[in-house]
Amino acid sequence: MIIKCAIVDDEPLAVELLASYVQKIPFLELVGKYTNATDALHGIGETPVDLLFLDIQMPELNGLELSRMVSDQTRIVFTTAFDQYAVDGFRVNALDYLLKPISYADFLVASNKALQWFQLVQQSERPGSAVQSDSEPTSIFVKSEYKLLQINLDDIRYIEGLKDYVKIYTEQSPHPILSLMNMKAIEQMLPSSRFIRVHRSFIVQKSKIREIERNRIVFGDVYIPIGDSYKQAFQDFINAK
C-alpha cells in the first residue's frame, strides 16, 4: 500500500532532510512540505494525508495544537529537539515520536509503525473481514546496503546485534541480512507476541524454538545464550506454553 504523507517543520533544512528520507521508502508518497503550521492546516485541508511528520516547537501555532485540528484519519509522527514534549505527543495519540537529529534508521522504524497501522486498518475495513483488534503485521522493511528489503516475519529465525548493526537470520537464505540499526530499534518493529529478547545481543522468534540446552537455544550448530536479566521472562514464556 501507499501512504500519503506531509512534513511540517519551521526549519527548511529539517524539511528537506525528512523529504530525502521519504524518497527512499517505497510505501511513502510525499504530497506536501510546509514550514509553518498555518500553511500546513490549509494545505492538508485541500489535500488530505494519511501521515504527518510534525515538528512540535513552532511559532504561532505549534505542532501539538495543529495535531488536534487535523482529521482523525491522519496519523501523527512528532519530530522535535525537545524530549520533554514526548508525553504530550502521545497524549494526542501519536504513532511515534522522533528526537532530532533524526537518523534514517529511526525514521524508517517510525515509517514501519505507520505502515503496520494502516495495513491493519485496511484489513479491518474489508467486507467480511475477520481481523481482530489484536491483529499484527506480517512483514517489516529494513535497510540493507543501499536497498529497502521487505522481510516476512514468518521467515525470521533470530536476530543478532553487533554494535550499530543487526544480523537477521531467515529460513530463506543461508546468509544473514545485515542492517544498520540497533537492537532497540529492531525490537520496537517486532510484535512481542511473536518475538522475545533472550540476550542483549539476541532476539528469537518464539515459534522457531525447538531445542533448549543448558540455558542456550539451539538452532542447528548455533547456540544462543539466554542472558541473566532475560531468564525470568524466558522462563515465563516457556511455562505459558
Side-chain angles (χ1 to χ4, degrees), residues 169-176:
Y169 292 83
T170 69
E171 295 185 336
Q172 304 301 316
S173 173
H175 304 292

Side-chain angles (χ1 to χ4, degrees), residues 127-196:
S129 172
V131 175
Q132 303 300 314
S133 61
D134 61 347
S135 297
E136 293 176 339
T138 59
S139 65
I140 59 172
F141 281 86
V142 299
K143 182 184 179 185
S144 182
E145 296 179 348
Y146 300 102
K147 301 176 293 184
L148 273 184
L149 298 179
Q150 186 176 25
I151 304 176
N152 291 328
L153 296 184
D154 285 342
D155 292 338
I156 299 174
R157 299 176 71 194
Y158 64 93
I159 297 166
E160 180 182 5
L162 299 169
K163 293 186 179 180
D164 295 327
Y165 288 83
V166 295
K167 296 168 73 174
I168 303 171
Y169 292 83
T170 69
E171 295 185 336
Q172 304 301 316
S173 173
H175 304 292
I177 297 168
L178 192 64
S179 182
L180 180 59
M181 68 171 67
N182 57 38
M183 287 290 280
K184 181 179 179 181
I186 190 72
E187 187 175 17
Q188 290 176 346
M189 294 167 63
L190 300 169
S192 59
S193 62
R194 298 184 60 175
F195 293 85
I196 184 169

Side-chain angles (χ1 to χ4, degrees), residues 25 104-113 141-143 148 181:
I25 299 178
Y104 177 64
D106 289 340
F107 187 86
L108 180 57
V109 170
S111 298
N112 267 293
K113 287 183 180 179
F141 281 86
V142 299
K143 182 184 179 185
L148 273 184
M181 68 171 67

